[in-house]
Amino acid sequence: MSDATTIVETPHRYTAAFAGSIELRWQTWWESENTYRQPNPGEPGFDASKPKFYCLDMFPYPSGAGLHVGHPEGYTATDIICRYKRMKGFNVLHPMGWDAFGLPAEQYAVQTGVHPAVTTRKAIDNYRRQLKRFGFSYDWSREFATIDPEYYRWTQWIWLQAYHAWFDPTKKQARPIDELIARLDRSDAVVAIEGGEARWSKCTPLQRQQHLDRHRLAYLGVQTVNWCPKLGTVLANEEIIDGRSERGGFPVYRMPLKQWMFRITAYAERLVEDLAIVDWPESTRTMQTEWIGRSDGAEVQFETMRSKDDGSHGAMRMRIKLTELTAALASPSAGLLQEIDQRCRATPGLEVDVSIAGVFLGSKHLSELLTLQGRVRALGAVAMVVDTDELQRGVFRVSKLDKLLRVVDEEHTIKVFTTRPDTLFGATYMVVAPEHPLVARALADPAAATDVDNLAAYAEIAKNRADVDRMAESKTKTGVFTGYYARNPATGQPIPVWTSDYVLMSYGTGAIMAVPAHDERDFEFARVFGLPIQQVVEVTGAPWTGEKATSGEGVGINSRNEEVSLDGRPTAEAKSIIIEWLDRKGVGKKRVNYRLRDWLFSRQRYWGEPFPVAFDADGAHHAVRADALPVRLPELIDYAPIESDTPLPPLGKAMGWVESTAGAVGLDAAELRATALVRRETNTMPGWAGSCWYYLRYCSPTENSRFVSREAEQYWMGGRGVDLYIGGAEHAVLHLLYARFWHKMLYDLGHVSTSEPFGKLFHQGMITSFAYQRRDKSLVATDLVDESTDGKFIERATGEPVAQVIAKMSKSLKNVVNPDDIIAEYGADTFRLYEMYLGPLEASKPWNTRDIVGVFRFLQRAWRLAVDERTGELLIAAETDATIERTLHRAIHKVGEDIERIALNTAIAALIELVNAATRPTGMADPSQGGLTRDQLDRFTRVLAPFAPHMAEELWRGLGHTTSVATAPWPTVDAAMLTDNEIDMPVQIQGKLKARITVPAAATPSDIERLTLADAEVQRHIAGRPVKKVIVVPGRMVNLVVG
RNA sequence: GCGGGCGUGGCGGAACUGGCAGACGCGCGGGACUUAGGAUCCCGUGGGGCAACCCGUGCAGGUUCGAUUCCUGUCGCCCGCACCA
């Protein structure tokens, strides 16, 4: 019927060309009518009586290749949900924009020689065109790109907020840095500076800055960074996979470098804890938790020695309680001061570090402490030091005064972190990372029994090796003895200190106590180097054989000294006993350690946001004033990365921009004269910067006095933040962790109203494709394979059978699908339906072009149900068919329910069932007779609208409406229509289905039982056996247990 | 190795909270309309058996009147982390 004559007869047939024409028509109309424009509170047309729904897509990174089929998967899902929510009476915020700064655009630009601004804008235009062709209901008036100066102006502003803030450990939140400065001014504390310590009032401006940099949330710090020479930039830990760059897979080397960092570690605890208050996939919450990597354990100090017999380095360690201190002050000749005196006399030249935090108390204790200081000074060479690290951690409070004072010897102490302090008695040696300061000290110490050549060589190799190599060689343990010993505080025995690259400087303290009996790595190392192994735990279910480490929990043995015993104690108990003992002795304490490292935020690249910072002649940094933003990215002709042994940012080439004056850059006049010469920061921010807060900007994208209008932010982000955020699981730790961190800083500083940005998160699965595999597991490109009629796949060249397997789409396998092609062949409505019908949104699913025709046929059937293909007139049934009415109610109910739980594949199945039910009795037999009444068609059009908005709009217009179906209310469901008067119930005998009976819906269980036993078919199956038990589940089934 | 998830027809998948396994679609078989169909429409379609009936949710057990669903063990696949002390 599609020959020349019949085509003329059915000009209104739903073909791809027809779909394309109505789709373009309605897209144009929506745009001219501003159908999807969502006004903000206070704007004309805003309806304050409606609840809000903020539904966000992860905005795309526009590449030259255009959209792939993965993009519209999530975007179609959010579009369906948004359209549904609008019809349910919500104010829906559904925006789209462009994540446009970043490495790929720059690499592409370097390759092609076209400026990234040009290629990126072109890619954006292409993406926008493609997205509009899908008929997505974005409010395009809110569109922006992260490369817009009006946008990155505020990215820089947010960075400045972090720069001007510190993390107050007692409040556990970010506070303005001015508060810290005021505190330091007040207390005039002794602070650590390069090469020693000094009073705050005595510090130079540069020294003060160095101290503040240890507290700022955005700070300049020397860090061992991940340097990727191929990419010409450093990378964040999160951007490295298996020792290679996430992008490109190039080797990454470690080197120290001064870089801008984010103090994300300060938020480690809150970033873990708040995962409990968000509705996120379990897998993603787990991943973030593990990435942050909280470990509970203890820090233990080991005193080092030059030889086994050496009593000490002359270090003295003691802990002075306030009560003792008070006693000492009351009676200068009392034991405490005498002891210090004696020790000082016994060891000429001894230096004792006294950690005193009391100076911060500003109370009467201060004078007492200063008195002591005088006394101690009189006794020997004593320096007063404020332990600023501890202060920062909030350890010192007035109530804890009895823990304040202790004499420590930092220089000759190795600190370790352990999760198993209960195994301390089994620590038979120690290992420090090759980068640990002790290694350098051993090399420089002529008195130590160090094999200098070996140690130096080992440290050098380990340091310069890329992490890839380090891992590749991880099979056997290597290491060198440092020549030093340490005293096990529990046993009092000297134990050797080794260095090995299996201990990482970046985790914990960069040193471990090795307990070979109960740690597999330590065991292996001890075996290789013949170190002693001492069992100290009887591990439950793992009897000690000496052949391998037993690492579980159990009961302590061989663990006692004069003061403490762990013998017979279960692991958990033993841990707290030993920690308490260590704490009392002043050589250890409870500690929480995180795997998370501070976030390296500098990149040696051109295509990114410039930092709003410049350096003066002394090298001190100064922030750009907020009113002088944005710091515009200078136009560079040559933006290629500079090849060098050390990272050199390309912005360094913009000499006229880099060399400037304080006034021109916009620095604070109170800090520097306007004419002062300054050098701008030439590093740029990484690609993540723009995506850390774009969801906030959408709330009021044209606001120019603030990063987001306060009112708009409170309205759209109120409650739980973004109500639904859909995007790929590949961002589970990177983007989603960074954005949460920025959001929490902004929350602490009072700029946003929720502590978490994304209340509900959902990951769409990956759309994969089929590929073909030979028997030797090698893959064959799709276009080299034929399918035979019996469903087998044959490689054309060889005639050999190949297996169909699921693989990622890739150019080499020739299985990449371009959305433009599919839309040209079937239309956007079909494309949308197909991707949603493929399977559950969260599952990874293979694209199979052959299957598209299924949903296309559905749309054709739906169209034919409503429209006379010869005339284009609506087909309206004269009378309401009760069965169809019932089916319609059920479909409306099911579709709404399924959209709410993001089960879009089954929602579409319900629509298909409805259309099948309404068309099949009629079929092609009588095309002049419609299957639905006008009222039914009206409701059907509305439930269809979220899925196939173009066809729905066309039908809606045909029904006589003049406004968009997008603004129509969702049809209501009559609950009475969802149940039948009579229910068909299965009857099981011994749990197996044997018969079915029909019972009234209102039947009671006893009615049902009676009806069941009265049924002839049931009686036949019982076959005279006694019925021992009858289980009736009303509305479900009946089960008979017979003897 | 650790953590998270998944195994259901030829294929994609469905099944609420333990209650009729395989909805819906593809493919396939048959038919209709056609000069023709790889378009469209209709009917059928888990396997075995003529049938009554039997067997079926990776495999082996268990709990239960009843298990795709819960438990134990095991095999396979996917994702994440990985010498993290």
Side-chain angles (χ1 to χ4, degrees), chain A residues 362-402:
Chain A
S363 69
K364 64 186 167 84
H365 299 299
L366 181 58
S367 58
E368 292 170 359
L369 291 167
L370 290 174
T371 310
L372 175 71
Q373 185 190 8
R375 302 262 180 200
V376 174
R377 278 240 167 93
L379 291 167
V382 175
M384 281 192 67
V385 176
V386 172
D387 186 338
T388 48
D389 282 342
E390 300 219 334
L391 181 73
Q392 193 189 332
R393 287 198 296 271
V395 175
F396 296 110
R397 280 187 289 260
V398 177
S399 60
K400 293 272 177 71
L401 253 186
D402 66 328

Side-chain angles (χ1 to χ4, degrees), chain A residues 716-759:
Chain A
W716 292 115
M717 293 294 292
R720 59 202 304 229
V722 172
D723 296 281
L724 179 63
Y725 192 19
I726 296 189
E730 67 273 19
H731 295 111
V733 280
L734 297 159
H735 158 62
L736 288 167
L737 187 66
Y738 295 152
R740 291 179 65 219
F741 165 59
W742 276 40
H743 198 85
K744 285 187 183 304
M745 288 195 302
L746 290 169
Y747 174 68
D748 286 354
L749 297 170
H751 299 306
V752 298
S753 41
T754 60
S755 63
E756 281 288 330
F758 314 121

Side-chain angles (χ1 to χ4, degrees), chain A residues 424-430 488 494-496 513-516 526 531-534:
Chain A
L424 180 58
F425 284 88
T428 54
Y429 65 99
M430 298 186 78
N488 182 322
I495 57 176
M513 63 177 215
V515 185
L531 293 159
I533 296 168
Q534 171 66 51

Side-chain angles (χ1 to χ4, degrees), chain A residues 4 79 115 198 218 269 328 344 383 417 447 531 730 955 965 990 999 1007:
Chain A
D79 193 61
H115 195 278
E269 190 182 336
C344 290
F417 172 74
L531 293 159
E730 67 273 19
L955 293 175
V965 68
Q990 318 291 55
V999 301
D1007 291 340

